[in-house]
Amino acid sequence: MSPAHSGLHSHTDPRSIMSEKTSIETKNGYGTTLAAIVYFPDDFDASKRYPAIVVSHPGGGVKEQTAGLYAGKLAEWGFVTVAYDASFQGESTGEPRQLENPHIRTEDVSAVVDHLITLDYVDDDRIGAMGICAGAGYSANAAIDDPRIKAVGTVSLVNIGQMFRNGWTNDVADADAAPVLAMGAAARSADARGEENPFPLAPMREEDAPNEELRQAWEYYHTPRCEHPNAPGFMTARSLSQIIAYDAFHKAEAFLTQPLLVIAGGEAGSKWMSEDLYARAASEDKSFHVVEGANHMELYDGEKEVAEAVSELGPFFTDKL
């Protein structure tokens, strides 16, 4: 779909970034179609070629939340950006709904790259990827597998396998996550009998939050702060059987050679996962920016915190792409 004839419009949020909705058919064997929003730089000219960035949302999120916020702000730096709904989630297709299979979510990133290289106005050799929370982990994993991704940025990164194995603050041993793996297996059996098994990706009730940081996760997904009807805040419990043994950084020591920018809040309980990626990545061009005083959730939508993150991401991608 070319902006020249696709009903290009001004996005309704305060950024007033030019954008269009599009659909992306995946070619990874799962048969899903991704719903996406493409954001364009000021003075966009379809006869020119632009660098592009794939922006991946957190687990339980959708493109209209923090992923769209970052995509819009990076478009202001001169990039074509794409925020999209993961397979089985949001407006994208696929059954069962709310499946959070990390292998498929990683493939989704490359599926958007597949789409970008078909667009005349995108420079195939200048495509980057970034994500927030689990979307950042999937972006790193995709870059390990897909050298078409030339630069990687992460914000409040979560390696979803590590989070479910080791806990939010890395205080659980791998082997002690075996009961959670058993829970996922039991959910698969229940699904086979036609039962539904939701599992929260963030606290579903304020009283379920163990600390202020995760209370903000509840607030983000379940109050006017940023709730969205397509983001129910849970996944299928069967997803645990794919997540527990998953490592978003598998073989990063060998194959994550692209320029890398890691951004994390100084007060984020999840910061250890950003530190792990930074340590393991083979890239000889990598940097770690700490947003002092910020927790994990404040980098989703905090005006000051997002502005600081974008002030690092914009120059990084401008230089590396």
Side-chain angles (χ1 to χ4, degrees):
M1 185 184 298
S2 168
H5 56 78
S6 62
L8 194 65
H9 61 279
S10 177
H11 200 260
T12 56
D13 67 29
R15 292 166 290 166
S16 298
I17 300 300
M18 302 300 289
S19 65
E20 67 174 3
K21 299 187 76 170
T22 192
S23 297
I24 299 170
E25 292 185 14
T26 64
K27 296 178 172 61
N28 51 28
Y30 301 107
T32 55
T33 298
L34 306 180
I37 300 175
V38 184
Y39 296 85
F40 299 93
D42 291 340
D43 302 320
F44 175 78
D45 181 346
S47 69
K48 297 180 179 179
R49 288 167 66 82
Y50 295 84
I53 303 170
V54 182
V55 184
S56 298
H57 63 69
V62 289
K63 62 186 179 301
E64 291 84 1
Q65 297 173 318
T66 184
L69 177 63
Y70 276 90
K73 288 185 176 297
L74 287 171
E76 294 176 343
W77 280 81
F79 302 99
V80 170
T81 63
V82 182
Y84 65 97
D85 289 333
S87 293
F88 312 101
Q89 300 172 28
E91 294 180 308
S92 294
T93 68
E95 297 286 342
R97 300 307 297 168
Q98 300 309 127
L99 181 69
E100 182 77 14
N101 183 321
H103 306 286
I104 299 175
R105 284 216 53 186
T106 296
E107 279 286 347
D108 286 344
V109 180
S110 286
V112 179
V113 177
D114 291 342
H115 175 72
L116 286 170
I117 66 171
T118 70
L119 303 177
D120 291 340
Y121 54 81
V122 170
D123 186 334
D124 299 0
D125 294 323
R126 300 169 70 197
I127 296 174
M130 71 146 291
I132 307 93
C133 190
Y138 299 135
S139 298
N141 198 177
I144 291 168
D145 295 337
D146 191 343
R148 297 177 302 173
I149 297 170
K150 304 301 184 185
V152 181
T154 71
V155 173
S156 287
L157 180 146
V158 160
N159 179 340
I160 198 167
Q162 287 180 325
M163 185 186 76
F164 276 96
R165 284 193 304 275
N166 307 124
W168 186 248
T169 54
N170 194 24
D171 54 4
V172 179
D174 282 358
D176 290 338
V180 187
L181 189 60
M183 187 185 303
R188 291 184 70 135
S189 296
D191 283 354
R193 293 189 292 266
E195 302 171 18
E196 292 187 2
N197 290 275
F199 190 94
L201 275 161
M204 297 296 289
R205 302 178 304 170
E206 185 173 16
E207 56 265 35
D208 294 336
N211 55 46
E212 170 58 19
E213 185 172 42
L214 294 177
R215 190 203 67 79
Q216 286 192 30
W218 162 80
E219 180 182 67
Y220 182 86
Y221 286 110
H222 300 291
T223 77
R225 173 173 169 177
C226 206
E227 65 187 352
H228 191 277
N230 291 341
F234 62 81
M235 66 181 183
T236 60
R238 70 176 291 131
S239 304
L240 293 168
S241 64
Q242 281 92 34
I243 287 172
I244 294 301
Y246 170 78
D247 177 16
F249 311 153
H250 181 62
K251 296 299 181 182
E253 298 87 350
F255 301 121
L256 185 51
T257 57
Q258 298 96 322
L260 172 67
L261 171 61
V262 177
I263 300 174
E267 303 302 317
S270 58
K271 181 169 172 279
W272 64 276
M273 289 177 274
S274 291
E275 293 167 344
D276 188 39
L277 175 65
Y278 184 76
R280 289 169 62 179
S283 175
E284 296 180 356
D285 181 357
K286 56 185 177 181
S287 56
F288 196 130
H289 180 80
V290 175
V291 180
E292 297 296 346
N295 69 25
H296 181 92
M297 298 304 303
E298 287 162 341
L299 279 163
Y300 280 42
D301 63 343
E303 184 175 357
K304 175 174 66 71
E305 293 83 1
V306 170
E308 182 171 337
V310 172
S311 74
E312 297 292 325
L313 290 162
F316 168 76
F317 282 117
T318 298
D319 183 45
K320 307 309 176 185
L321 299 179

